[in-house]
Amino acid sequence: MTARHVVVTGAGRGIGHELARQYLAAGWRVTVGARRPETLDLPPAVVRHPLDVEDPEAIAGFAAAVAEPIDVLVNNAGLFGPRPQTTADVEADLWRRIFTVNTIAPVLLARALLDHVAASERRVLATITSRMGSFAANTDGAAPMYRASKAAVNMAMQCLALEVAARGVGVLLVHPGWVRTAMGTAAADLDVRESAAGVRAVVDGFAASEGLAFRAWDGRDLPW
């Protein structure tokens, strides 16, 4: 039986890097995308390609380099922006960049790799999002640029789920928790290994036949 194949973007560090490591240890075939793939501290068995998610041509090139079915695509690359972050900190160019990375790139990657996902056994399009993209969970109004980008990717993926349902592809949005990474800072609750293990468990427990889900790393369904 051929090992299942996962593609992880934003694998240069943090959750993406750890997901790649854990999937490989679990016996999956792993392909990753990163800005500087030659510098990745990952085993040689991990197939790596250059990927700048801010460049649509680079996304197309990455997709062209992946020429086999993809059981699970994990859109992981993300950008938070400044801290603290209020509406007074909004800068048009920065907000566009945050949207490019967090919202537009996952959609472009999902579209570019959809045929490969649809040709697989698992047929899962997963995006690392955030509970901060939930309208219902927004009680403090902090980080409007980041929140808006995550709310937007949640909506875009909801639309995508409706589009691809006929092809048997499921769309999963995963909140990885507050993780001790460059984005999450050292004050965060979770170790990156614990978060990645939780994300993997959520992905493993998601069936494409569900169509769409928004879940936390610990398996909880989250409000939209």
Side-chain angles (χ1 to χ4, degrees), residues 13 18 20 30-32 38 40 42 47 79 90 93 105 112 114 129 143 148 162 166 174 189 191 209:
R13 60 184 180 179
E18 182 61 18
V30 180
T31 300
V32 300
E38 70 282 356
L40 296 183
L42 289 169
V47 177
L79 181 64
V90 168
D93 288 343
L114 176 60
T129 183
L162 295 170
V174 187
D189 298 327
D191 176 82
S209 58

Side-chain angles (χ1 to χ4, degrees), residues 144-215:
M145 290 187 285
Y146 180 75
R147 281 188 188 275
S149 72
K150 290 301 187 179
V153 78
N154 290 355
M155 175 57 77
M157 290 298 166
Q158 185 183 57
C159 293
L160 180 64
L162 295 170
E163 293 176 10
V164 302
R167 301 188 67 178
V169 174
V171 175
L172 176 63
L173 291 147
V174 187
H175 165 57
W178 187 22
V179 189
R180 290 189 290 275
T181 62
M183 180 185 291
T185 77
D189 298 327
L190 291 173
D191 176 82
V192 68
R193 292 186 180 183
E194 184 179 9
S195 171
V199 169
R200 282 183 51 241
V202 169
V203 172
D204 286 348
F206 175 76
S209 58
E210 292 185 63
L212 174 71
F214 180 19
R215 293 190 175 128

Side-chain angles (χ1 to χ4, degrees), residues 1-137:
M1 179 178 174
T2 304
R4 287 177 175 171
H5 181 209
V6 63
V7 171
V8 183
T9 70
R13 60 184 180 179
I15 296 170
H17 186 274
E18 182 61 18
L19 282 171
R21 190 192 67 78
Q22 290 191 17
Y23 270 113
L24 185 68
W28 287 57
R29 289 177 295 124
V30 180
T31 300
V32 300
R35 285 180 181 270
R36 293 178 294 278
E38 70 282 356
T39 68
L40 296 183
D41 182 21
L42 289 169
V46 174
V47 177
R48 57 203 80 193
H49 300 293
L51 175 61
D52 179 355
V53 299
E54 297 184 58
D55 180 358
E57 291 187 5
I59 289 174
F62 176 77
V66 182
E68 58 184 307
I70 301 169
D71 288 279
V72 176
L73 168 63
V74 182
N75 280 311
N76 168 72
L79 181 64
F80 190 89
R83 288 182 172 86
Q85 187 182 129
T86 69
T87 55
D89 301 303
V90 168
E91 297 178 4
D93 288 343
L94 175 58
W95 205 354
R96 288 189 192 98
R97 187 180 179 214
I98 292 171
F99 259 82
T100 295
V101 173
N102 294 354
T103 308
I104 299 171
V107 175
L108 294 182
L109 280 156
R111 183 179 69 186
L113 294 168
L114 176 60
D115 287 346
H116 295 317
V117 175
S120 74
E121 179 182 345
R122 290 279 283 118
R123 302 187 306 279
V124 174
L125 289 170
T127 295
I128 303 300
T129 183
S130 174
R131 183 175 177 272
M132 293 180 74
S134 165
F135 283 85

